[in-house]
Amino acid sequence: MAAVKEGLRWRPFLQMGVPHMLAEDMEYEGYKFPAGTQFTWGAYALALNEDDFTDARTFNPERFMNEDLNAPLKGHWSFGAGRRVCVGYNVGVNNVWIAIACLLYCFDFAEDPNYPIDEYTTPWDKHDGAPCHVKITPRSQAHVDLIKRESAHVLSMEY
């Protein structure tokens, strides 16, 4: 669960939150906002804020090994916040958990400074100096067979 939460914090899937619009005029801390004003948040700015997350650009699941580990909405903004949090957040969190569990079950991940960065490295990573030199290999032939079998099953499904 810590890896799930860190993944959602470290690279939010929405760079900006879903905007909300005021239905009526509002005043907040001395600022006046007319009806129709839209508010949103910058998910990346919040996720990578060094005041909130020490070494924020580093993937570090250990930061979530605390009393809030099993509180899926604490520590990131991926599903919004407050009264308007995504009603399907449990489905999202569980799907990310299953994906990470499958990856960890089937593959070994090893940091390797000599392993080349390939065309799948995102422009964001190339820009901010955070490319990950990691070698990913299947754990065994049995794992390769499992991946091929399950992939073929999914690809043959009709949607």
Side-chain angles (χ1 to χ4, degrees):
M1 183 55 86
V4 169
K5 291 176 77 170
E6 179 65 349
L8 292 170
R9 180 209 64 85
W10 184 60
R11 293 295 189 254
F13 51 87
L14 292 176
Q15 292 190 13
M16 297 296 289
V18 177
H20 296 284
M21 184 173 16
L22 291 179
E24 57 188 44
D25 293 350
M26 179 181 147
E27 184 173 335
Y28 180 76
E29 293 187 1
Y31 294 95
K32 295 181 182 181
F33 302 98
T37 301
Q38 289 192 4
F39 291 92
T40 191
W41 64 90
Y44 266 84
L46 292 168
L48 301 177
N49 184 346
E50 290 285 339
D51 292 337
D52 294 327
F53 302 102
T54 304
D55 201 15
R57 293 185 182 274
T58 299
F59 184 82
N60 178 14
E62 288 80 17
R63 74 177 82 239
F64 289 105
M65 297 300 293
N66 57 37
E67 67 277 358
D68 294 327
L69 174 65
N70 293 311
L73 298 176
K74 291 203 175 183
H76 63 88
W77 292 70
S78 292
F79 301 103
R83 296 184 314 188
R84 294 188 176 65
V85 68
C86 174
V87 296
Y89 74 86
N90 278 313
V91 173
V93 166
N94 288 332
N95 276 296
V96 174
W97 191 94
I98 290 167
I100 289 175
C102 289
L103 288 169
L104 293 174
Y105 177 77
C106 290
F107 297 97
D108 285 320
F109 297 82
E111 189 172 1
D112 184 348
N114 298 316
Y115 201 72
I117 301 292
D118 60 25
E119 69 273 13
Y120 300 109
T121 303
T122 65
W124 171 279
D125 290 335
K126 289 177 184 172
H127 173 72
D128 76 3
C132 207
H133 292 275
V134 63
K135 186 174 183 180
I136 304 169
T137 54
R139 291 184 179 264
S140 71
Q141 186 59 46
H143 290 91
V144 171
D145 295 341
L146 172 67
I147 294 164
K148 287 180 178 179
R149 184 175 62 250
E150 292 303 313
S151 298
H153 171 71
V154 170
L155 290 173
S156 69
M157 294 173 69
E158 289 190 36
Y159 294 95

